[in-house]
Amino acid sequence: MSVREFEPGQYILREGDRPRYCAYLTDGYVYRHKIVGDGGRQIVSIHVPSDFVDVQNILLDYADHNIQALTATTLITVPVDDLMKVAMEHGSVNRALWRETLVEASIMREWIANIGRRDARSRTAHMLCEVALRREKAGLGARETFDLPMTQEQLGDALGLTAVHVNRTLKSLENDGLIVRSKRSVTVADWNGLQSVGDFTSNYLHFPPSA
Amino acid sequence: MSVREFEPGQYILREGDRPRYCAYLTDGYVYRHKIVGDGGRQIVSIHVPSDFVDVQNILLDYADHNIQALTATTLITVPVDDLMKVAMEHGSVNRALWRETLVEASIMREWIANIGRRDARSRTAHMLCEVALRREKAGLGARETFDLPMTQEQLGDALGLTAVHVNRTLKSLENDGLIVRSKRSVTVADWNGLQSVGDFTSNYLHFPPSA
DNA sequence: CGCAAGATTGAAGATATTCAAACAGCGTGG
DNA sequence: CCACGCTGTTTGAATATCTTCAATCTTGCG
């Protein structure tokens, strides 16, 4: 295995590529996205440190989506074949990796519901809650304060909205005292309120039962 | 393992339940869905015979979504523990099951993109193409003709639309000669056209290379 | 300083929803 | 056999939400 650094915006894997490495994210944000016919882009997942970002492709012959660095990131990469070998020899590794992909799938289901059935305000609040909580659980600081290094364009691509509408939505959340923005960092001013607006519960994240 | 029959609408697993069985679908349609705060429902996947419908929950402690029979269905169920035991002892079973969950995850990514970035017409066409092709690959007949036993309400829940809008959208596709409807079955009148409107390519389904 | 990328705002327009009503198909019971 | 009721479909009109277009403003940075 080896440590690799990526620049903001740099592609880690492109759609159609054959995955060779599996990567564990130690620092920075990474996201996956797909491009649709009219040129639109949809971000399908966001990753925080301690996520595996390429197990999804481990058993598939080619990538069905792009993986890109959002910020400067550090990844630990392991050749797919080696990882599979270890997984096959050690049931616990196998189960852990598999479980990771299942949790990811659960998050994707929630995204489908979020994008399909919640309006812009609720949808945006929901996603802020998710990122906040996943960062907190990864030991990256309290849920109330975190850097959200995404442009409004990128947020729109993640939420199925336009950048303009994201702007108005964030403003609305801020006006209601739910969040505070300064530059590109977000502070949750009212966690319960945000959670309520976002119709958010953390069940789907399948956090292991805390000790 | 045992064979179980379900009535249309019957729940196979409910959100919050502890999954005990893993099921292989031999006959009928099954779908998964989540309920959001305002009572809205979002279908997050549709299953055709030859799909495993409960591997997603196999390593998770409780179900994060509901699984429901769309039509009368036949499932072969295997206790989760037994299946895991077999998977741990046989690498090929392990890989096959895992791969199945990864393909499902890929389909969910496409759904996110479909709902997030395509308009109603394109979105609807895309889903028709997906179901048509998955049925065909499962040996259930040519892609051009298949029963679509979903109500427009259910279609709406799958597409993130209202039933009313689904109705207008289907009419529009029919008026353009892309599909023909009679009762609740759909015929694809112009596969290439539908595929084009739906911005559909089958890459994300990860069909094994045909012999 | 001056550029470039991103954020913000307004106005107009498109897309989808909501509400309401009418209609069709189908199984049940008289 | 037909009436009834139920579920689902279809249609229209009004409305809400989100997008598009375009301009202005802000911020970071060479």
Side-chain angles (χ1 to χ4, degrees), chain A residues 34 37 41 62 94 110 199, chain B residues 34 37 94 110 117 199 203:
Chain A
K34 306 192 77 153
R41 185 175 73 151
Y62 54 84
N94 186 328
E110 185 67 29
D199 183 29
Chain B
K34 305 192 78 153
N94 187 329
E110 185 67 28
R117 283 295 181 229
D199 183 27
N203 303 350

Side-chain angles (χ1 to χ4, degrees), chain A residues 1-121:
Chain A
M1 63 190 230
S2 59
V3 175
R4 296 174 69 191
E5 311 272 347
F6 288 85
E7 306 279 311
Q10 197 178 342
Y11 275 82
I12 295 165
L13 186 73
R14 283 179 192 273
E15 184 169 348
D17 282 0
R18 185 172 196 76
R20 298 171 185 284
Y21 300 96
C22 188
Y24 177 81
L25 179 59
T26 61
D27 199 47
Y29 279 99
V30 163
Y31 63 95
R32 307 155 181 278
H33 64 92
K34 306 192 77 153
I35 306 292
V36 301
D38 68 352
R41 185 175 73 151
Q42 177 67 46
I43 293 177
V44 297
S45 75
I46 296 175
H47 295 283
V48 302
S50 83
D51 284 353
F52 281 92
V53 293
D54 213 359
V55 192
Q56 289 293 336
N57 292 307
I58 197 170
L59 287 172
L60 302 177
D61 33 347
Y62 54 84
D64 52 73
H65 60 277
N66 303 286
I67 306 184
Q68 201 171 2
L70 176 58
T71 60
T73 61
T74 309
L75 296 174
I76 297 176
T77 63
V78 185
V80 163
D81 295 342
D82 295 353
L83 189 65
M84 274 310 292
K85 201 171 161 195
V86 173
M88 286 300 147
E89 283 165 8
H90 301 279
S92 59
V93 173
N94 186 328
R95 289 171 75 110
L97 286 174
W98 191 354
R99 186 178 196 283
E100 175 93 5
T101 64
L102 294 183
V103 172
E104 249 198 81
S106 172
I107 294 174
M108 288 189 233
R109 285 191 285 275
E110 185 67 29
W111 279 44
I112 292 174
N114 198 35
I115 295 173
R117 283 293 179 231
R118 287 196 266 257
D119 67 12
R121 237 173 94 84

Side-chain angles (χ1 to χ4, degrees), chain B residues 89-141:
Chain B
E89 282 165 8
H90 301 278
S92 59
V93 173
N94 187 329
R95 289 171 75 111
L97 286 175
W98 192 354
R99 186 179 196 282
E100 176 93 4
T101 63
L102 294 182
V103 172
E104 249 197 82
S106 172
I107 294 173
M108 289 188 231
R109 286 191 286 274
E110 185 67 28
W111 278 44
I112 292 174
N114 198 35
I115 295 173
R117 283 295 181 229
R118 288 196 264 257
D119 66 13
R121 237 173 94 84
S122 184
R123 201 186 295 181
T124 306
H126 189 282
M127 180 201 260
L128 290 175
C129 287
E130 179 182 314
V131 174
L133 217 49
R134 284 173 60 197
R135 286 186 59 86
E136 183 181 89
K137 288 286 171 177
L140 298 165

